[in-house]
Amino acid sequence: MAKQTLVHDETVIGLEIHVQLLTASKIFCGCATTFGAPPNTLTCPVCLGLPGALPVLNRRAVELGLRTALALNCRVAPRSQFHRKNYFYPDLPKNYQISQYQYADHSPLATDGRLEIVVEDRRLEVGIRRVHLEEDTGRLVHDAGLSSGGSLIDFNRSGVALMEIVTEPDLRSPLQAREFLTALRRLLQFAEVSTGRMEEGTLRCDANVSLQRRGGPPGTRTEVKNMNSIRSVERALAFEIERQRTLAARGEAVVQETRHWEEHREVTFASRAKEEAQDYRYFPEPDLVPLVVDAAWIEQVRGLVPELPAARRDRFIAVFGLSPYDAELLTATPTTAAFYERAVALFPHPKTIANWLIGDVTAHLNETGRDLDQVALTPHRLSALLRLIDDGTISGRIAKDVLVEMIREDRDPAAIIETRGLRQISDQDALAQVVDAVIAEHPGPVAEVRAGKARAIGFLVGQVMKATGGRANPEAVNRLLRSRLVS
Amino acid sequence: MTIDPETVERVARLARLALTAEDHERFAGQLDHILEYCAQLNALPLADVPPTSHVIPIINVLRDDAVTPSLDRDEVLAQAPAHAGGFFRVPKVLEGG
Amino acid sequence: MDPRHLQSARALRAAYAAREVGPSDVVDALLTRIARLDADLHAFLHVDADRARAEAATWDERYAGRTSPAGLPPLAGVPVAVKDNMCTRGSPTTCASRILEGWRPPYDATVVARLRDAGAIIVGKTNLDEFAMGSSTEHSAFGPTRNPWDRTRVPGGSSGGSAAAVAAGMVPLALGSDTGGSVRLPAGFCGVVGMKPTYGRVSRYGLVAFASSLDQIGPFALDVADCALLLRSIAGWDPQDSTSAQVPVPDYVAALEQGAAGIRLGVPEEAFGPGVDSAVAAALHQALEVFAAQGLPVARISLPTIEAALPAYYLLAPAEASTNLARYDGVRYGLRAAPDDLYEMTAETRRGFGAEVKRRIMLGTYALSAGYYEAYYLKAQRVRTLVARDFERVFQQVDVVVMPVAPTPPFVLGERAQDPLQMYLSDVFTIPVNLAGLPGLALPCGFHAGLPIGLQLVGRAFDEATVLRAAYAYERATPWHRERPPMAAAA
């Protein structure tokens, strides 16, 4: 499966992704990484850049970086170092960021990987240029409360472990970029490396985009920043490509610059700040010693990588007999996959559970705009519900309503059925009474059935269901009607 | 070799140093002098000599991912030139720095 | 002044236990002495009199009911001074700069914590060249320190305050930091013992960084045994410093008793080069004879990279310093100026740096900048490899290298302050040792016109014990360590 080659006037997109790693403490100090703490309560001399402070590298950050490198099929550098990236900005306490630079024979943590994605049923391979570790900056908040203006800084985030993933410019459309980010996010979540939420800032993406003619020289690139969801990335890229196309059509040149995406106006605009050519003056970080990763360590990390999405999906197909489509849906997130497996363990009917999760449960989640881990539905309750259908306690039709109630009221299905009196009516005598009453009330359809139009039975069944508030056992009703009307 | 005024200005900007006209001239001259002195290194046989970035052969210094107590915010902010509501305060930062 | 208050740290401990004198007596006496002498010498930037007295009182009690110091920590009740570029929690730490004037760190440097654990009483913070950049302590924003032997002359730098404080009998022990000679040079100029340990021997956590790959904290004392005692109290692995070595700390004091027999010494011919003052050369020759008379002949060796070390250092150190000092921007601590516009605020705040610091930041920024990284910084790192290899070669033949500390005796205040390059040349014999990361010790080896001349001994990495043993043997055979500056002897 080859990489994509360029066609006439193609777009060339590369992504630079920053991922917040799931470590309990920061990358170079022991401060907690808890989200949402009061400002500047998770700081210390190291992450505040106080005089005399020194960094010490978090082992888990390295392991999560290595885990990601393996999941992305990268080459892990046997030896790598950290570098100082020097620039002044108030959210950067030391006015240099400890990162990893790639040049000459200096390799960052990992390079030369790939992630396979599927876009419109085509498989594409996206190259990963590098994976490296660095520290996050503090958070600048513009102080609207002050009449004089001014900015406020919270250093809780300063020093949080970040992993930067840079792709090769292998993406050819905003849709591909979206699919790549979705696949990457899923991989990171399954690998338990990050929560990967753009809305929460644990996954951030900058994009580089240019237009290029086949056989022609590379076009001028612009960098697009400030997109805070995967959809944003898609829309921003679409806008930027159109903007560049328009310039080209007018014979105007694209300026190499950084552009910011404005979510509300849905445009990119050139940064207002004076663009100085940045000279980061990279040099090896003297306060940190080199990182040497040997084969033994790599194997140890490999052994601890959780089951990745593709493997999980394949296993679902093999073990549960699911279709590839269904298996893909059920492994969209680690939460869904775990839920499914647990439910099957409790009620071993994989296809039934799959249908309910993909069908009614998903429909409800979409309607209410929630995720599976945000609602009061457990594998235990879902399997209980399905068992109640299976043993005839309720009908499938009633179960759909019970499902919604379970989620809304955070109750067990058995409790809801009792409270609302939803038990299926299967008692022959009780049903016979209703059936006879319906037959008496609808002579027309009855006559049609007797005349051989089997379809009219459906109407009569419906009437019985209506009369019993939906609780009649449909199979039993059907049998009774047939026995009465069809000789 | 002379360090031109533009270079001095560029380096001063990179280092966020505000130089007076007098500083400019003085530094240009002194830096020139020092760099000329350093030029003697060009005479050394350095072609196959690897650079030393760490003089001691220590590698893989790592710490466990354990949370340790942070500083008391009051003690930290007490030393801050300006703060408000638990944040550090600075003059307004233009977007996209 | 009562000589019982002016003893070495070891003697003080014994005296405390023998109830000849108490920690409070000593601290009171030294505080008085400081008050009297320091107006002239300006060794201290800050004296913590109240806290020192309170701690001394505690030690009075701890010593009561004992007949020996055994069971008490190694520096129990001993007054020490700390160079003002090491963080002392709640106490000013200015680095002799307007940028940090009034700043009180919220944490202690590891060495400070270790001093406290060892029972030392930190009397105050001593003067230095601003941010440790200098060789004379003339670049302090708060005025120079003067050499106790001749107050018209410099005490050396950058740890001039600590060296002067010990030389003038204000404290028996002090800590300094050494990046290119900043402990050894002032030790030599002030006639006391000073040591730069192997890089990684002593934690740098809490030492305000100048050049990260070169900085080390080291002890000042009146004699080699006290130096060994202080070194042992601060050395050892620190998990908060990634560059600190997990090498066990020997009992340096006990090692001295081994004597120096069998130690092979070498003196590089470069030590007698044209730039070396005749008085220094003469003192060096005399020292070689003393060693020979002890049964320790000094072989002639060569360290041809010594000369290249200086320009390499003046590219490496400023480069690292330029980034280490980037954090001083007025945002989180320290000086803040011109508060209306962010860029201006940073730039105006950084006007608070003195000329030497600005010069090195400029030089360092230039050496790292695009287009110049290979030509300057990288080249200097290659030279560093050559210097390290040079010493490695020499240590196949000898165990300790003997050199001068400086090419000249202490110079007059103001003589070199305006010519940076002239000032830098003072470090020609100390810098190579920092580049190679090796341990170096300075101790007095004579006088010229009443001015001290220092001898430098350099050893293999983590072999401080051998260096101390050689130094001890020299010291026992010479009278220099018993000399005191006239102004201090009279006080």
Side-chain angles (χ1 to χ4, degrees):
Chain A
M1 187 207 52
K3 287 193 165 196
Q4 303 176 90
T5 53
L6 293 166
V7 198
H8 170 75
D9 199 18
E10 285 263 300
T11 52
V12 178
I13 298 169
L15 299 178
E16 195 179 291
I17 298 121
H18 286 90
V19 179
Q20 256 187 25
L21 296 177
L22 277 171
T23 57
S25 62
K26 297 184 179 182
I27 191 172
F28 297 124
C29 67
C31 290
T33 55
T34 328
F35 184 76
N40 294 302
T41 53
L42 301 176
T43 64
C44 75
V46 179
C47 56
L48 275 177
L50 296 191
L54 294 173
V56 184
L57 182 57
N58 183 328
R59 178 181 294 111
R60 186 148 184 83
V62 177
E63 287 172 345
L64 293 181
L66 290 175
R67 188 187 283 186
T68 307
L70 292 176
L72 290 174
N73 301 291
C74 292
R75 179 189 166 273
V76 174
R79 188 184 173 97
S80 66
Q81 348 196 63
F82 285 87
H83 292 82
R84 291 189 185 178
K85 178 180 182 180
N86 299 283
Y87 65 97
F88 280 82
Y89 205 64
D91 68 2
L92 190 61
K94 300 183 293 299
N95 288 311
Y96 61 83
Q97 180 195 30
I98 300 180
S99 177
Q100 290 186 296
Y101 191 50
Q102 183 175 23
Y103 68 101
D105 51 3
H106 283 258
S107 173
L109 189 73
T111 55
D112 302 311
R114 64 191 178 282
L115 179 64
E116 193 188 281
I117 61 174
V118 176
V119 184
E120 294 172 325
D121 295 325
R122 269 172 65 220
R123 288 187 169 205
L124 304 171
E125 190 182 86
V126 180
I128 303 293
R129 178 171 294 176
R130 68 168 187 270
V131 174
H132 76 250
L133 297 173
E134 60 185 30
E135 56 180 345
D136 207 345
T137 63
R139 207 172 48 97
L140 211 54
V141 177
H142 294 290
D143 191 358
L146 290 171
S147 55
S148 57
S151 296
L152 302 174
I153 318 174
D154 172 16
F155 289 101
N156 283 352
R157 199 184 70 179
S158 164
V160 165
L162 279 188
M163 178 174 60
E164 183 175 313
I165 299 173
V166 178
T167 74
E168 295 293 352
D170 290 343
L171 298 161
R172 294 283 169 270
S173 71
L175 175 63
Q176 289 186 10
R178 186 183 98 200
E179 291 301 327
F180 175 84
L181 283 171
T182 305
L184 180 67
R185 178 180 61 185
R186 186 176 168 213
L187 184 72
L188 294 171
Q189 288 174 341
F190 271 83
E192 293 171 28
V193 160
S194 172
T195 56
R197 297 215 164 104
M198 283 191 76
E199 293 78 357
E200 285 170 24
T202 57
L203 185 72
R204 299 168 219 162
C205 179
D206 296 332
N208 287 297
V209 54
S210 64
L211 300 178
Q212 186 171 343
R213 289 191 171 264
R214 187 186 197 180
T220 307
R221 267 195 340 224
T222 59
E223 186 186 19
V224 184
K225 296 169 98 84
N226 199 41
M227 301 155 293
N228 47 30
S229 69
I230 295 183
R231 292 281 172 184
S232 271
V233 173
E234 193 180 13
R235 282 198 293 267
L237 283 171
F239 175 88
E240 183 59 18
I241 289 163
E242 195 46 46
R243 188 188 74 87
Q244 288 192 15
R245 284 230 161 90
T246 307
L247 287 175
R250 290 210 290 252
E252 287 173 42
V254 171
V255 176
Q256 182 174 344
E257 61 190 354
T258 300
R259 299 182 69 86
H260 291 257
W261 172 246
E262 233 282 20
E263 189 68 41
H264 299 300
R265 291 192 294 139
E266 299 206 347
V267 296
T268 65
F269 63 91
S271 165
R272 267 177 274 140
K274 188 165 72 152
E275 278 278 309
E276 276 171 26
Q278 283 282 26
D279 181 0
Y280 293 120
R281 287 157 281 138
Y282 289 99
F283 72 101
E285 170 59 78
D287 289 332
L288 291 172
V289 297
L291 192 62
V292 172
V293 181
D294 61 11
W297 194 359
I298 292 180
E299 283 323 300
Q300 189 195 35
V301 171
R302 202 189 296 278
L304 294 170
V305 179
E307 193 178 32
L308 296 179
R312 198 91 173 242
R313 180 199 63 218
D314 292 344
R315 185 164 63 81
F316 278 16
I317 294 170
V319 171
F320 301 126
L322 297 175
S323 69
Y325 182 76
D326 284 357
E328 187 73 25
L329 287 174
L330 289 170
T331 56
T333 70
T335 315
T336 313
F339 188 107
Y340 176 71
E341 284 202 72
R342 184 81 192 108
V344 170
L346 291 167
F347 181 69
H349 294 81
K351 296 229 169 79
T352 310
I353 294 184
N355 289 340
W356 274 83
L357 271 177
I358 293 170
D360 287 81
V361 173
T362 300
H364 177 79
L365 293 176
N366 286 343
E367 212 179 298
T368 55
R370 315 255 289 289
D371 287 331
L372 190 55
D373 55 0
Q374 294 171 314
V375 297
L377 181 66
T378 61
H380 200 269
R381 282 183 178 165
L382 180 64
S383 60
L385 179 70
L386 298 184
R387 207 173 292 118
L388 290 168
I389 303 173
D390 195 48
D391 66 19
T393 308
I394 52 170
S395 66
R397 179 67 203 76
I398 292 286
K400 287 170 184 279
D401 295 337
V402 175
L403 174 70
V404 174
E405 286 300 309
M406 276 160 59
I407 294 174
R408 272 209 209 112
E409 293 178 24
D410 190 5
R411 292 175 73 202
D412 285 338
I416 293 170
I417 288 164
E418 285 314 307
T419 315
R420 298 249 315 256
L422 296 174
R423 280 182 163 272
Q424 188 165 241
I425 303 172
S426 299
D427 176 63
Q428 293 298 315
D429 294 331
L431 280 179
Q433 278 189 8
V434 182
V435 165
D436 289 338
V438 164
I439 287 174
E441 281 165 33
H442 301 280
V446 164
E448 283 182 26
V449 173
R450 288 215 167 104
K453 282 204 184 136
R455 265 188 295 124
I457 275 212
F459 172 77
L460 296 170
V461 171
Q463 289 303 304
V464 175
M465 298 302 283
K466 198 165 136 194
T468 59
R471 292 185 299 136
N473 182 324
E475 290 82 41
V477 169
N478 232 294
R479 267 180 275 123
L480 279 168
L481 282 170
R482 282 181 199 279
S483 75
R484 297 273 194 282
L485 304 178
V486 181
S487 354
Chain B
M1 168 192 31
T2 15
I3 300 189
D4 55 50
E6 284 81 53
T7 303
V8 174
E9 181 56 39
R10 180 174 57 82
V11 172
R13 276 194 78 80
L14 278 178
R16 292 298 190 273
L17 290 178
L19 301 183
T20 62
E22 191 190 65
D23 281 336
H24 257 264
E25 221 181 280
R26 189 158 42 108
F27 283 144
Q30 286 171 344
L31 293 186
D32 242 355
H33 196 36
I34 295 168
L35 290 168
E36 230 172 77
Y37 173 69
C38 292
Q40 64 182 273
L41 298 179
N42 295 330
L44 294 170
L46 297 171
D48 298 313
V49 182
T52 296
S53 51
H54 295 86
V55 74
I56 34 147
I58 300 181
I59 58 167
N60 289 356
V61 174
L62 302 166
R63 42 167 264 275
D64 290 338
D65 186 27
V67 172
T68 56
S70 292
L71 287 175
D72 175 57
R73 182 169 74 186
D74 291 337
E75 196 176 356
V76 170
L77 290 179
Q79 300 293 311
H83 61 98
F87 293 89
F88 290 87
R89 262 199 69 199
V90 294
K92 187 145 173 63
V93 178
L94 288 174
E95 228 162 291
Chain C
M1 178 135 174
D2 187 335
R4 289 175 306 169
H5 302 148
L6 292 173
Q7 303 182 80
S8 71
R10 287 161 4 270
L12 278 178
R13 274 169 42 88
Y16 291 156
R19 215 82 86 262
E20 286 164 19
V21 74
S24 290
D25 301 323
V26 173
V27 165
D28 279 339
L30 293 183
L31 287 172
T32 308
R33 188 176 178 79
I34 291 170
R36 200 165 60 235
L37 298 179
D38 210 38
D40 209 3
L41 291 182
H42 196 229
F44 281 87
L45 290 177
H46 178 74
V47 176
D48 246 323
D50 292 339
R51 182 171 178 171
R53 288 202 170 96
E55 286 178 18
T58 321
W59 288 111
D60 285 342
E61 281 173 47
R62 303 269 313 261
Y63 272 102
R66 282 174 193 273
T67 47
S68 94
L72 288 176
L75 297 176
V78 176
V80 307
V82 172
K83 184 176 182 182
D84 205 22
N85 63 351
M86 294 175 226
C87 289
T88 43
R89 184 177 179 179
S91 200
T93 301
T94 67
C95 300
S97 178
R98 299 237 168 266
I99 294 271
L100 286 179
E101 196 171 1
W103 183 60
R104 289 168 191 264
Y107 76 109
D108 273 338
T110 296
V111 293
V112 169
R114 289 186 180 177
L115 280 180
R116 297 199 207 278
D117 286 344
I121 299 172
I122 299 176
V123 163
K125 309 296 288 299
T126 56
N127 200 13
L128 60 152
D129 283 296
E130 188 181 358
F131 285 108
M133 298 185 197
S135 311
S136 65
T137 314
E138 292 175 284
H139 293 302
S140 164
F142 307 120
T145 298
R146 293 163 188 280
N147 193 318
W149 295 86
D150 177 341
R151 279 156 289 170
T152 67
R153 292 181 185 258
V154 301
S158 59
S159 313
S162 281
V166 170
M170 295 180 183
V171 280
L173 299 175
L175 287 186
S177 70
D178 189 315
T179 306
S182 292
V183 165
R184 292 160 290 153
L185 182 67
F189 276 14
C190 290
V192 297
V193 179
M195 185 167 201
K196 181 201 82 69
T198 310
Y199 184 83
R201 177 77 284 184
V202 177
S203 168
R204 291 185 298 117
Y205 187 77
L207 169 68
V208 180
F210 159 13
S212 315
S213 74
L214 298 161
D215 293 342
Q216 267 293 282
I217 294 173
F220 283 100
L222 287 168
D223 59 33
V224 174
D226 257 15
C227 177
L229 177 65
L230 181 50
L231 178 63
R232 183 163 156 78
S233 302
I234 58 173
W237 178 58
D238 180 11
Q240 292 188 290
D241 175 357
S242 299
T243 60
S244 92
Q246 289 201 37
V247 173
V249 181
D251 184 342
Y252 296 122
V253 179
L256 300 178
E257 301 311 315
Q258 284 174 43
I263 297 180
R264 300 168 301 168
L265 303 172
V267 62
E269 61 198 26
E270 291 79 12
F272 299 104
V276 180
D277 186 285
S278 54
V280 172
L284 180 60
H285 274 294
Q286 209 186 14
L288 301 182
E289 279 163 35
V290 169
F291 276 118
Q294 298 293 299
L296 299 165
V298 186
R300 281 294 174 127
I301 57 171
S302 175
L303 283 168
T305 57
I306 277 186
E307 226 196 293
L310 214 151
Y313 173 87
Y314 277 103
L315 291 172
L316 284 177
E320 291 182 10
S322 70
T323 73
N324 283 326
L325 268 60
R327 67 192 64 198
Y328 305 106
D329 57 7
V331 171
R332 288 145 289 125
Y333 45 81
L335 181 70
R336 178 190 286 201
D340 293 335
D341 167 86
L342 184 73
Y343 181 95
E344 287 306 315
M345 179 191 93
T346 303
E348 287 300 312
T349 295
R350 290 161 71 76
R351 273 191 197 281
F353 288 126
E356 182 61 33
V357 170
K358 279 192 205 155
R359 185 164 29 245
R360 295 200 194 193
I361 291 175
M362 290 288 289
L363 185 54
T365 305
Y366 184 72
L368 286 173
S369 63
Y372 297 108
Y373 176 78
E374 299 264 343
Y376 294 124
Y377 187 77
L378 209 53
K379 188 165 296 175
Q381 284 198 326
R382 296 186 203 278
V383 175
R384 187 168 190 178
T385 305
L386 289 184
V387 173
R389 284 180 183 171
D390 221 9
F391 274 102
E392 254 174 76
R393 176 183 51 76
V394 150
F395 281 125
Q396 280 163 14
Q397 204 190 327
V398 302
D399 306 309
V400 174
V401 172
V402 182
M403 290 196 284
V405 171
T408 68
F411 43 88
V412 170
L413 282 157
E415 189 182 293
R416 298 190 182 195
Q418 299 312 312
D419 185 349
L421 211 48
Q422 266 307 298
M423 185 71 84
Y424 299 163
L425 291 172
S426 320
D427 302 327
V428 66
F429 293 118
T430 49
I431 276 175
V433 183
N434 298 82
L435 286 186
L438 302 172
L441 178 150
L443 76 167
C445 70
F447 290 84
H448 170 74
L451 301 172
I453 296 182
L455 185 70
Q456 188 185 189
L457 303 177
V458 179
R460 292 185 186 85
F462 300 103
D463 196 14
E464 283 80 359
T466 303
V467 172
L468 287 162
R469 284 163 55 208
Y472 192 62
Y474 175 84
E475 185 185 76
R476 296 295 99 193
T478 53
W480 318 121
H481 62 286
R482 285 189 288 270
E483 300 287 326
R484 294 284 173 267
M487 58 93 65

